[in-house]
């Protein structure tokens, strides 16, 4: 595998379910990001991890819980979501945080909350 | 506040040239990025400008004017595979990317 991978690619869950999204990067990068992409809206940065430490949490509701066990893996744990949380969730990585290096994105998880 | 403006949708003809504009207002500035995103796929990096002027990379060029808070992406010799959304993003003083909503480019034969 190369680049940034995400699983699952599609997820349908009820509001009472608990699920997790997984991201893995094979680029040797030190920074990883979670974004939310809703139709016709700008990408919203959710969380940033740098060397496994969370550095940014952009006022994300607690029903989204990130986890970064090492520099290559990033998870987003989901519980008691709302229908408005339906969106494409993108993971990205970059060489360093707080730098102008470009970000490399995974293909995303299309989440539908019913 | 921080804001990025770009057109929602544009249409162009195969073989032609199209210019996608982007204006930005961010707290500080550490560069302007353009990404391409095909439907159902990941955004992929196209260009980065931090100094004024034109950067050319094959059929794609990107221009920046810092004094005007303005950038454009120029696509030449359009091909059907260029049909995609083009995302403009400005990096602010905290190195956070502030994203536009994207411009959907439709190429017609």
């Amino acid at each position: 595998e190369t680049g940034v991978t995400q699983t699952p690619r599609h997820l349908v869950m009820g509001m009472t379910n608990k699920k997790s999204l997984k991201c893995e990067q094979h680029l040797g990068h030190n920074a990883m990001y979670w974004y939310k992409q809703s139709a016709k809206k700008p990408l919203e940065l959710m969380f940033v991890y740098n060397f496994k430490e969370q550095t940014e949490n952009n006022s994300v509701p607690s029903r989204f819980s990130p986890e970064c066990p090492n520099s290559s893996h990033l998870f987003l744990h989901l519980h008691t979501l709302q229908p408005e949380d339906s969106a494409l969730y993108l993971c990205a990585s970059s060489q360093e945080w707080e730098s102008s290096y470009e970000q490399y994105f995974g293909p995303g998880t299309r989440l539908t909350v019913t | 506040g921080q804001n990025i403006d770009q057109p929602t949708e544009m249409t162009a003809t195969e073989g032609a040239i199209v210019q996608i504009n982007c204006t930005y207002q961010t707290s500080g500035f550490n560069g302007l990025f353009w990404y391409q995103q095909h439907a159902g796929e990941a955004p992929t990096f196209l260009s980065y400008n931090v100094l004024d002027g034109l950067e050319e990379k094959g059929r794609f060029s990107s221009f920046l004017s810092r004094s005007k808070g303005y950038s454009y992406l120029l696509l030449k010799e359009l091909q059907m595979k260029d049909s995609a959304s083009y995302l403009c993003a400005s990096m602010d003083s905290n190195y956070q990317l502030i994203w536009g909503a994207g411009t959907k480019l439709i190429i017609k034969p």
Side-chain angles (χ1 to χ4, degrees):
Chain A
E1 291 273 16
T2 57
V4 182
T5 58
Q6 290 186 244
T7 54
R9 293 293 309 276
H10 300 271
L11 178 62
V12 179
M13 60 186 287
M15 289 191 284
T16 58
N17 291 158
K18 288 184 180 181
K19 297 286 184 183
S20 295
L21 310 185
K22 178 183 176 182
C23 174
E24 184 174 358
Q25 58 96 359
H26 308 267
L27 301 167
H29 288 167
N30 297 314
M32 296 187 76
Y33 311 77
W34 278 117
Y35 284 95
K36 176 182 179 182
Q37 187 175 37
S38 302
K40 300 185 179 180
K41 288 186 177 180
L43 282 170
E44 298 174 44
L45 178 64
M46 300 175 73
F47 302 104
V48 180
Y49 277 82
N50 187 48
F51 288 100
K52 304 186 299 178
E53 300 296 320
Q54 188 180 130
T55 57
E56 296 288 333
N57 175 341
N58 280 2
S59 304
V60 180
S62 59
R63 57 186 184 269
F64 294 92
S65 174
E67 178 190 358
C68 188
N70 55 60
S71 292
S72 299
H73 293 85
L74 188 62
F75 294 88
L76 189 62
H77 304 299
L78 317 171
H79 64 98
T80 58
L81 294 191
Q82 305 298 311
E84 60 264 29
D85 296 323
S86 298
L88 181 68
Y89 288 84
L90 291 164
C91 174
S93 70
S94 66
Q95 185 69 43
E96 294 177 10
W97 178 59
E98 284 192 329
S99 71
S100 56
Y101 288 104
E102 67 266 30
Q103 294 180 16
Y104 291 77
F105 286 82
T109 295
R110 173 69 61 186
L111 174 67
T112 303
V113 181
T114 60
Chain B
Q2 306 201 96
N3 192 52
I4 306 288
D5 279 318
Q6 54 181 129
T8 303
E9 187 174 298
M10 298 181 71
T11 302
T13 304
E14 191 177 15
I17 299 173
V18 70
Q19 177 175 311
I20 302 174
N21 296 323
C22 170
T23 57
Y24 64 89
Q25 285 180 305
T26 51
S27 302
F29 181 75
N30 278 302
L32 194 292
F33 291 79
W34 284 96
Y35 280 77
Q36 180 190 60
Q37 186 177 23
H38 285 100
E41 297 184 14
T44 54
F45 169 77
L46 287 177
S47 68
Y48 170 70
N49 294 65
V50 68
L51 299 176
D52 286 352
L54 187 68
E55 297 267 352
E56 298 187 65
K57 198 186 290 186
R59 293 188 300 114
F60 291 12
S61 302
S62 56
F63 171 83
L64 177 68
S65 168
R66 295 183 62 157
S67 62
K68 295 182 179 178
Y70 167 69
S71 173
Y72 67 72
L73 182 68
L74 191 71
L75 291 75
K76 302 177 184 176
E77 300 168 20
L78 286 170
Q79 301 175 11
M80 297 304 292
K81 67 178 182 179
D82 298 329
S83 292
S85 287
Y86 291 85
L87 311 179
C88 173
S90 175
M91 184 168 271
D92 69 12
S93 57
N94 294 321
Y95 291 95
Q96 278 207 18
L97 284 174
I98 310 302
W99 295 85
T103 298
K104 182 178 181 180
L105 178 62
I106 300 168
I107 310 296
K108 296 187 174 179

